[in-house]
Amino acid sequence: MAPNITSIKTSSSGAWQGDNPLDFAFPLLIVQTTLILIVTRILAFFFKPLRQPKVIAEIVGGIVLGPSALGRSKAYMNRLFPSWSTPILESVASIGLLFFLFLVGLELDLNSIRRSGRRAFSIAAAGISLPFISGIGVAFILRKTIDGADKVGYGQFLVFMGVALSITAFPVLARILAELKLLTTPVGETAMAAAAFNDVAAWILLALAVALAGNADGSHKSPLVSVWVLLSGAAFVIFMMTVIRPAMKLVARRCSAEHDAVDEAYICLTLAGVMVSGFLTDLIGIHSIFGAFVFGLTIPKGGDFAERLIERIEDFVSGLLLPLYFASSGLKTDVTKIRGGTAWGLLVLVISTACAGKILGTFVAALMCMIPAREAVTLGVLMNTKGLVELIVLNIGKEKKVLNDEIFAILVLMALFTTFITTPMVMAIYKPARGITMKTHRNLGDLTLNSGSKHVKDELRVLACVHGPGNVPSIISLIESTRSTKNSFVKLFIMHLVELTERSSSIVMVQRVRKNGFPFFKRSSHREWRDRLAGAFQAYSQLGRVSVRPTTAISSLSTMHQDICHVAEEKRVTMIILPFHKQWRVEGDEEDNGGVHEVLENVGHGWRGVNQKVLKHAPCSVAVLVDRGFGSGSQTPGPNSSMAQRVCILFFGGPDDREALELGGRMAEHPIVRVTIIRFVEQDESNGRNIVLHPSPNANTDQSYSFSTAKMNREIEKELDDKAMEEFRGKWGGMVGYVEKESENVVEEALSIGKSGDYDLIVVGKGRFPSSMVANLAERQAEHAELGPIGDVLACSGQGVVSSVLVIQQHDVALTDEAPALRVLHGGYDNARVVDNDSSASGGNKEISSADNNDIV
């Protein structure tokens, strides 16, 4: 016999005193929460390769734990999910839901919805109307077919069914679009705008449905009561928008970046306001979540206060409490209630009606808006996403006794199915063209050869990636220094990289992307950056030979490199510039009488992985910029700048160093860039004859330098080095400095150049095909192996290097395969090489780098 809930105690006295913790409310809640989180996370791991949103795993997890699967065991249900524990679990989950809906309101920008235009509005209207009407038609069939369905009044049942079939889950759709990398495409932007309209309409319809619904005990009420509920709800919204919204604007202003800190009292009052708003709408007779959502709409968007609120509550709500709500939905779903051919036929009818209504309505509206047929179908499939809001509607319907167990189970499965098929259907239907129709200059050398052979416009196309405003001045300074004053044209694509996390607020970034492509410009704390960058871009447009195209990539770090490489291929760029994951800046030290000290900012190890993958898969040359204040203050070259920018190119030899030399040639053309070439030569060439690099497959690639495994003739490479240097000096001899250095310790020599402060920027090749001097460093402990031996030496922290560093990797398909190597002594060779004795069955050697004959790798 189930115990009376009023007799249930909160906590036990412990197992030693004979108490079973599972008979007490709080220990049981802990066990239930832990079990739900473990099961949903395991399912999310398995659904991830299918690119399914997390809500799918949470609903399926609840169904697995509930009466449909494990719950068929009475002993299991009575022990872990007894009936007396349901109100407790649902109360805790409802707190999570309340704050989640507050976050949804906080992230929904009414102004951006207004700006979306007629296209998004008409698509949303058609996408709601047709399935709503279809839902009413299905409701008539369900009432006549399912036992007990006709006990509820026509009005509320029809509205609930219409709402259930017509809504689109805005947060779930945003997640799916981001996973499919469609978030910033025209289709994605239209879908997001239409879904935002849909979201607002859904809440209005939901409020209507709740107002029309009978009491939870099933008793009937006067129609006037529904009218009073609706009027009170409208009055509540008007009060919130006319009184509370200006008050929250005042609070947000007081908590802006201009003030030193956000007062904790304002945060606490706002969180209390969420609860009070929820209580008021519950008091009115509309569900409490409606109040939380409207209160979220009153908070000003894009400010520090809104961001602080999101940071404070999002992880706890989305990570812990919200999964409980969706799992509790699954626990209430008993698939076994769908019995017999008729019931399963009704499930197919509901799913097909929901899909057909939404897809057809959206498709027709999109065609009328002159959207191509394929994109129109894709929009229809995307707008068919259910999940989040759908479940809220269904739970309220069950709570109000409008939906019985069988109809509830049918509609939950419908929501699951429609959301599950979205990703595979969109992938099958909509494949944006990813081909290149024009010849692409893969590296600077190809570009130079082309401009030398024909009298054509020399166009340098560069893709520069930035993490935030701090990267942009150095990128602009670097690009400006490569702009020659002759017949060259620079086309710059600036890509803002935004990490897509499981936090829903990462989607907010998309809503803030405007035509300038920089969502971080919206933050008031970066106003000074915005002003400075606007001036820089304005100067660019006045020059007439620089075109700037901003864009945004929103992706998880594991796939960010695909976005970068795709844009590089699509835009036919010659070079990708990546910001290093660490950035140094110099700050004044008040305690040290005006002295300065170095401050290190690390954006995270995940971004290092992005750089490593881009270096490996890029379709063109890649440069990694280690920024130590390059482009700050008077360093930025420009039309009105008078201070010379000092650039040093360290040349050891090899394809990467020759690419660095090509960049140096472009910089030498700039009137205020002073380029110096420092070429390192062997003191005694016989010293390099005994260096052989053996692949070390067991070496940690993060701590060991990798070298190319390609077959290359070192003699030919040396000739190419000499020829490149000769041509460079012949062309720029009078405009650049040239120094030859003989050094036994290149590490100390490179560090002394970096520490001297004589240069603003040091350019080095990555050195995948090393000279013997660089090969000597093969066994050196690497801190940043992706930069190559010399780049790593100059990028290491704590060495006193003050110059910024640019590490260049030339695009060459022959050099793409790399392997860590160990330096060993071996006679008879003229230079460094990598030998792999197991490379062939016949015992032939596979070598990386080189000897004095043609069998060298």
Side-chain angles (χ1 to χ4, degrees), residues 806-824:
L806 187 71
V807 181
I808 294 183
Q809 171 183 289
Q810 185 190 56
H811 177 72
D812 190 335
V813 289
L815 301 178
T816 50
D817 293 330
E818 298 178 15
L822 294 175
R823 182 179 68 91
V824 295

Side-chain angles (χ1 to χ4, degrees), residues 487-506:
N487 193 32
S488 79
F489 184 84
V490 177
K491 184 164 274 191
L492 172 61
F493 301 93
I494 294 186
M495 176 179 273
H496 179 211
L497 307 179
V498 180
E499 181 185 2
L500 176 71
T501 63
E502 286 194 352
R503 300 177 65 173
S504 63
S505 64
S506 59

Side-chain angles (χ1 to χ4, degrees), residues 197-272:
F197 274 120
N198 206 314
D199 218 30
V200 173
W203 294 114
I204 295 168
L205 289 171
L206 179 59
L208 176 69
V210 174
L212 290 172
N215 298 325
D217 58 4
S219 61
H220 297 285
K221 60 186 179 182
S222 165
L224 277 176
V225 174
S226 298
V227 176
W228 280 115
V229 169
L230 287 172
L231 289 175
S232 302
F236 172 79
V237 173
I238 293 168
F239 173 77
M240 294 296 282
M241 290 301 167
T242 56
V243 178
I244 303 299
R245 194 175 189 184
M248 294 313 297
K249 279 185 179 177
L250 187 65
V251 169
R253 209 175 296 123
R254 291 197 173 188
C255 298
S256 63
E258 283 78 10
H259 295 74
D260 292 336
V262 174
D263 194 333
E264 291 298 316
Y266 290 123
I267 299 284
C268 294
L269 282 173
T270 305
L271 298 182

Side-chain angles (χ1 to χ4, degrees), residues 360-627:
L360 194 61
T362 306
F363 175 72
V364 171
L367 283 182
M368 291 173 69
C369 292
M370 309 303 290
I371 294 175
R374 179 170 288 189
E375 291 187 13
V377 174
T378 307
L379 270 174
V381 175
L382 288 169
M383 296 297 287
N384 196 35
T385 306
K386 298 284 193 288
L388 188 86
V389 189
E390 172 81 3
L391 278 178
I392 296 168
V393 172
L394 299 183
N395 275 291
I396 293 171
K398 194 169 192 302
E399 186 184 306
K400 300 287 184 184
K401 303 285 179 72
V402 175
L403 307 176
N404 64 20
D405 289 348
E406 188 173 346
I407 296 174
F408 180 79
I410 286 172
L411 292 175
V412 168
L413 291 181
M414 180 270 291
L416 263 179
F417 180 80
T418 53
T419 307
F420 192 89
I421 63 169
T422 300
T423 301
M425 279 187 73
V426 170
M427 290 176 73
I429 297 168
Y430 188 67
K431 295 176 182 175
R434 292 208 167 189
I436 297 181
T437 55
M438 296 175 66
K439 176 173 171 54
T440 305
H441 297 295
R442 298 299 188 172
N443 55 51
L444 294 170
D446 291 348
L447 195 64
T448 303
L449 287 171
N450 182 73
S451 62
S453 60
K454 297 177 184 177
H455 296 289
V456 294
K457 183 172 69 173
D458 174 14
E459 184 180 75
L460 174 63
R461 302 169 74 92
V462 177
L463 173 63
C465 302
V466 295
H467 299 142
N471 301 130
V472 183
S474 56
I475 295 289
I476 287 180
S477 186
L478 177 61
I479 296 298
E480 174 59 27
S481 65
T482 64
R483 182 191 59 80
S484 67
T485 55
K486 295 183 182 178
N487 193 32
S488 79
F489 184 84
V490 177
K491 184 164 274 191
L492 172 61
F493 301 93
I494 294 186
M495 176 179 273
H496 179 211
L497 307 179
V498 180
E499 181 185 2
L500 176 71
T501 63
E502 286 194 352
R503 300 177 65 173
S504 63
S505 64
S506 59
I507 303 297
V508 184
M509 296 299 290
V510 192
Q511 294 170 263
R512 297 185 193 158
V513 173
R514 297 293 178 260
K515 288 184 180 178
N516 64 13
F518 291 107
F520 48 72
F521 283 2
K522 288 289 289 179
R523 293 189 58 182
S524 58
S525 58
H526 294 303
R527 193 172 293 127
E528 65 275 14
W529 286 106
R530 182 182 61 206
D531 295 342
R532 181 173 174 183
L533 296 177
F537 287 131
Q538 190 176 4
Y540 265 23
S541 63
Q542 289 170 356
L543 289 168
R545 286 183 298 276
V546 181
S547 165
V548 181
R549 301 282 177 84
T551 182
T552 304
I554 300 172
S555 183
S556 59
L557 293 186
S558 60
T559 59
M560 184 73 78
H561 69 285
Q562 295 175 6
D563 288 34
I564 297 169
C565 293
H566 165 56
V567 170
E569 201 162 329
E570 185 181 53
K571 303 299 183 185
R572 311 188 308 280
V573 304
T574 306
M575 177 175 283
I576 298 171
I577 300 175
L578 300 170
F580 193 49
H581 67 283
K582 294 178 181 178
Q583 185 176 3
W584 288 264
R585 54 187 172 83
V586 175
E587 286 189 352
D589 196 339
E590 294 178 3
E591 297 177 4
D592 192 20
N593 297 322
V596 294
H597 66 281
E598 197 176 61
V599 178
L600 173 63
E601 294 176 349
N602 193 333
V603 293
H605 189 77
W607 290 105
R608 182 188 180 190
V610 173
N611 286 0
Q612 289 170 333
K613 288 175 183 174
V614 173
L615 284 163
K616 185 174 182 182
H617 300 287
C620 58
S621 293
V622 181
V624 180
L625 179 60
V626 182
D627 184 20

